[in-house]
Every structure is written in structure tokens, then in C-alpha cells.
Amino acid sequence: MDTQTETPQTLEPGTIRLAISGDRDALAAVTEVLRGSDTAARKALAAAVAPTDAIRLILRLKSKDAKRLLKALPDTPSLRVLNELDPALAGDLVDEGLRARLHKLVSRLHEDAAAEFLAGMPSSLRADLLNDLGNPAELLSRLDHADESAGAVMAHDAIYTTAERTIGEVIEQIRANSDRIRRIYAVYVVDERRHLIGALKMRDLLLNPDDCPVAEVMRPAPKAVTADRDRAEVVHEAEAAGLPVLPVVDGDGKLLGRITPEELREIDQAEADEDIKIMAGLRPDSSALDTPFQIVPRRLPWLAAGLVGAGIAALVVGAYEDALVQAAILASLIPIVMSLAGNAGIQASTVTVQAQTAGTFWIGDLWRRIVREIGGAALNGAVVGALVGTGILVIGATGGIDRAPALALAAALTLVLVTVQASAIGSLVPVVLERLGFDPAVATGVFITTSNDVIGVLLFFVIATAIYL
């Protein structure tokens, strides 16, 4: 006897909202529709989900069910959903069937819209779709930008006109292209070779008569960035100029596109994500969807670097084997020294990197910054050293430690010096790395932790040998 229940034809009102919020029963109902054989019910479900809700719902579903929802979405929402998802997740959801559908959709898009969509796709999927499209020269030229550049994140729907046209003609142009214009921040004015020479604001279009020539009312060309400009620098440029949107030009000043507030926010988020990964000793392209064979090359180098550092620290400890034989109690203090050194260094370097990333780092204040860090570190080290020293004295009073006062002094002095040197190194290294052309976020990872571990252990044994042994 077949006991399989029939797939429900419709969902109760509010079920999708509950599913998005994580309600288990609602998620089960949505999953049942997606896995069922009723195609009409699946399409009805997809049609009832707004693109922003579809993204949130996808993150609640299992991979196979998320693919079913994505396939059931109408054409335009499905493109928008894929564009808004994390590239690694978007690539994981696209199978052969969906890729064939994307090929048909992208081939029907305007070149600007197609370029914008492909720019947000994983590089492997983008290459496959371009190959399916025959690698059109126009699209390739629009996408020919480094991943970290302004050209890679810009929108291609910049509105532009020439100075010879009238306000009425510009308004008609906007109306004719309304289907591909998301929001109007400005209308750029270009010459016959599309070089940026000026701009019009919305008030210029609304307050001037239709027969007014653009040349008479256009404003000076706004601040622009070149397509090869680093995306992090673009954010700083926009903030410094107080502009919500920046035009993007090539090396000759030819208008290519624009970077809107949405792109600026995405850049900020991408830079923050990248820094977090680097701080943790990960490659920037690492993701939660990495396969085991991707995890190895993206993480092993940093683990190996940490192993080298730990090996050096072990050699330092081994060099003082006689000291450990004389006073085994020293071994119990090594983890305290290493932990304090690593944490103090990471705190100082993180503050410096954050200032560099935010554009608030003032090189003229460098030495005063270091003095402030050293002063604060000395106070922190003194407090921790006093606590550890007091603990040693208390244990020594019970007869558990020989020559407790000498050991307490050695431990307290070590912790003060270790905290000071770690903070100084943490403040300086990001600045040096940036001057050498490296990402300063590297300083907060394995580099700082390992170097401070080695120096901290060395200081500890030198001081302990001189004072305690």
C-alpha cells in the first residue's frame, strides 16, 4: 500500500515568511513543495518569493532544495539572486541545467547588464558562460579588469550625453533606457570620444527648459577614478570627496561606468572579509564551501609557517634545557608568557591595520602612536605581572615554590617587557609591510603571533636565568 502523501498545491499565507525566519514546520512545508512532483506548485512558490527573500530562504535550505528554488524562479529574479549571493555559494548552486539557462538569459541582456551580471559571478562560471557566448569582444573588454580594481566592481549603466544636446533630448534618452537604469545620481557629459567633461544633476534636468543646451548648464567634471584603481582606494576617494557616486574612466579619461553607494558598501564588506581571512591565516579566496582539495592549498602554507615559528620557539626552549632541569617550575610559566605576547601583539597590530584600512592612519603621528602603545602596554604588563607575581608568592608561602620572591620578580619583569615589545612590534610591522607593498593585515596573523612567541620565550629565560637561577 502506497502511504506517500501528496504534495500540497499551495502554502498557507505567511509560511514563506516563517520559513525565512527559521521556523522548522514552515521550512518543512517549503521543502515538501520544492521536492514534490507538482511543477505548478513549485513555480507558484517561487513567484511568491521576492528576490531579497529568496536569498534569505536559500541560506535556510539544503543545497539540493536551494537549487530547486533557484531553477523555479522567473528569469529576472533568478539573475538578481545569483548576483547578490556570495560568488562561492552562487557557483555551488549552478549545475549544468541552470548554466544552460543562464547562457540563454545572458545572451538576451544588454551588454551593460550582461557585463554587470558576469562581473559578480565566480571566475570559473564566468569563463564557462563567456565560452558559451563565443567570448564576445565587447563583453571581454568590459570584464578585463583585475579583481581588486574599480573596473571589476563598477556598474556599467552610467548615463551620459554630449554638450551639444538639449535638456529635453537628455530626458527622452533617460525614458528610452528606463528599463536598464536602476537609479539616477547624475548624467555625465562627454565629448565625441566619450571623454568626461562635465555632469548634470537631477535639478538641472528638472529646472531648465527642454530647449536649453546642455553646454549652458552643465557642471564641471566630477572627481573620477580610473578602472585600474585599487577598490579600497576608491572608497577613500569617495569619502574624501564626499561623493555618493564616482564615475570610472580609463587611462585616457574615457567614461566606462560608475561606482554607486551599493558598490561602495560591497567594497567595504569585501575588504573587511578579506582582512578577517588574512588575519586568521587564510587566503582571501577561501570560503566555507571549499572542498578538501581546496582547503589544503589555501590553508596549509599558513599552518606550515606557524609550524616553523613554533619550531624556532621550541629550539629556544631546548637551548635552556639546563635551566628547566634546575627549576621545572619555569615550564609552567611558558604558556603565560607566550599567550600574553601573542595577544598584546595582535591587539596593537589590529588597531594599526584598522586605522590603515579606514584611511585614518597618520604617518606623522607614528612615533607618538608607538609611545602611547608602549605606555599602555607597560601598564597592562605591570598589572598582569603583579597578579602572576602575587600568585607565585602565595604558592611560595605554602612551601610549594623555592625562592618564590626571586621567581615572582623574574615573572613580573618578563611580562612587562614582553607586553611592551609585542605592542611595539605590533604597531610597527603593519606600517613596514604597507611600505613594502604587502597587505598589512598579514601582520595580525601567524607573523605577529609567532615572532612574539619566540621573542617572549627568549626574554623569559634570559631574565629567569639572571634573577632566579
Side-chain angles (χ1 to χ4, degrees):
M1 180 177 178
D2 187 3
T3 59
Q4 183 178 0
T5 59
E6 294 184 1
T7 303
Q9 296 299 308
T10 58
L11 294 175
E12 292 293 328
T15 300
I16 295 175
R17 289 194 299 273
L18 289 173
I20 291 170
S21 67
D23 182 87
R24 290 187 178 182
D25 292 336
L27 274 173
V30 169
T31 300
E32 189 175 0
V33 172
L34 292 173
R35 295 180 181 179
S37 58
D38 192 333
T39 305
R42 194 158 51 247
K43 289 184 176 180
L45 166 63
V49 183
T52 52
D53 289 338
I55 295 170
R56 296 164 61 194
L57 184 57
I58 281 173
L59 298 177
R60 293 281 186 186
L61 297 170
K62 293 183 178 180
S63 177
K64 291 183 178 180
D65 299 322
K67 290 179 181 180
R68 294 185 180 104
L69 175 60
L70 196 57
K71 289 178 181 178
L73 287 172
D75 291 349
T76 301
S78 64
L79 289 177
R80 182 178 170 186
V81 167
L82 280 172
N83 223 209
E84 294 295 330
L85 285 172
D86 177 87
L89 178 56
D92 187 63
L93 292 177
V94 176
D95 54 21
E96 285 300 319
L98 188 54
R99 198 187 91 177
R101 180 184 170 203
L102 289 177
H103 166 229
K104 293 179 181 178
L105 295 177
V106 174
S107 65
R108 296 200 299 264
L109 291 176
H110 186 278
E111 286 172 350
D112 289 342
E116 188 170 351
F117 171 75
L118 290 172
M121 290 294 96
S123 56
S124 58
L125 178 58
R126 184 192 314 151
D128 289 342
L129 289 173
L130 284 170
N131 184 59
D132 292 342
L133 294 168
N135 291 311
E138 181 65 23
L139 267 181
L140 289 173
S141 65
R142 289 173 181 266
L143 292 167
D144 188 22
H145 301 290
D147 287 341
E148 301 290 314
S149 69
V153 296
M154 70 180 178
H156 296 270
D157 60 349
I159 308 168
Y160 59 89
T161 187
T162 59
E164 294 76 21
R165 303 183 75 179
T166 66
I167 293 295
E169 289 173 332
V170 175
I171 293 174
E172 286 302 317
Q173 176 190 351
I174 293 173
R175 289 172 178 166
N177 293 279
S178 60
D179 60 329
R180 67 182 188 88
I181 298 174
R182 293 179 298 177
R183 185 175 177 183
I184 301 174
Y185 294 94
V187 175
Y188 300 111
V189 183
V190 299
D191 61 17
E192 65 279 358
R193 291 183 295 174
R194 218 167 87 182
H195 290 162
L196 184 63
I197 59 173
L200 295 170
K201 291 189 175 181
M202 285 302 298
R203 62 177 298 162
D204 300 323
L205 300 177
L206 296 173
L207 301 181
N208 289 289
D210 287 352
D211 58 354
C212 176
V214 169
E216 292 184 6
V217 296
M218 74 177 188
R219 301 165 186 264
K223 176 74 175 179
V225 293
T226 55
D228 59 356
R229 192 74 176 272
D230 184 86
R231 65 185 186 185
E233 295 177 0
V234 171
V235 175
H236 297 157
E237 288 277 357
E239 292 175 347
L243 297 174
V245 62
L246 289 174
V248 181
V249 298
D250 64 11
D252 296 325
K254 181 180 178 182
L255 182 66
L256 298 176
R258 61 177 183 164
I259 293 183
T260 65
E262 290 79 9
E263 275 85 36
L264 291 174
R265 284 193 292 271
E266 288 177 5
I267 292 172
D268 264 339
Q269 183 61 52
E271 288 294 314
D273 291 345
E274 183 176 303
D275 284 348
I276 289 172
K277 289 176 181 177
I278 293 175
M279 290 176 183
L282 296 171
R283 267 177 36 182
D285 56 355
S286 301
S287 89
L289 298 172
D290 287 349
T291 66
F293 292 105
Q294 290 174 320
I295 289 174
V296 172
R298 292 175 179 178
R299 303 187 192 182
L300 184 59
W302 288 102
L303 294 176
L307 181 61
V308 171
I312 295 174
L315 290 175
V316 172
V317 174
Y320 288 89
E321 182 180 357
D322 292 341
L324 289 173
V325 171
Q326 294 179 49
I329 187 65
L330 295 178
S332 64
L333 296 176
I334 293 175
I336 298 176
V337 173
M338 295 178 69
S339 175
L340 190 64
N343 289 336
I346 288 175
Q347 288 176 344
S349 60
T350 298
V351 170
T352 302
V353 170
Q354 189 277 331
Q356 291 172 309
T357 303
T360 59
F361 182 80
W362 179 27
I363 191 65
D365 189 49
L366 176 61
W367 294 112
R368 282 187 293 180
R369 176 190 289 270
I370 292 175
V371 169
R372 292 195 298 270
E373 285 286 349
I374 289 175
L379 292 174
N380 285 335
V383 172
V384 176
L387 291 173
V388 173
T390 300
I392 291 174
L393 291 175
V394 170
I395 297 174
T398 65
I401 299 177
D402 293 332
R403 299 178 60 217
L407 180 59
L409 177 60
L413 182 58
T414 298
L415 294 176
V416 172
L417 293 179
V418 161
T419 308
V420 168
Q421 68 83 22
S423 296
I425 290 177
S427 298
L428 275 172
V429 169
V431 180
V432 173
L433 288 175
E434 187 176 47
R435 289 297 183 91
L436 294 176
F438 296 101
D439 192 326
V442 173
T444 60
V446 177
F447 185 87
I448 287 289
T449 304
T450 302
S451 62
N452 284 329
D453 284 349
V454 173
I455 296 173
V457 170
L458 182 60
L459 280 173
F460 172 57
F461 278 112
V462 170
I463 294 172
T465 301
I467 295 176
Y468 182 62
L469 298 180

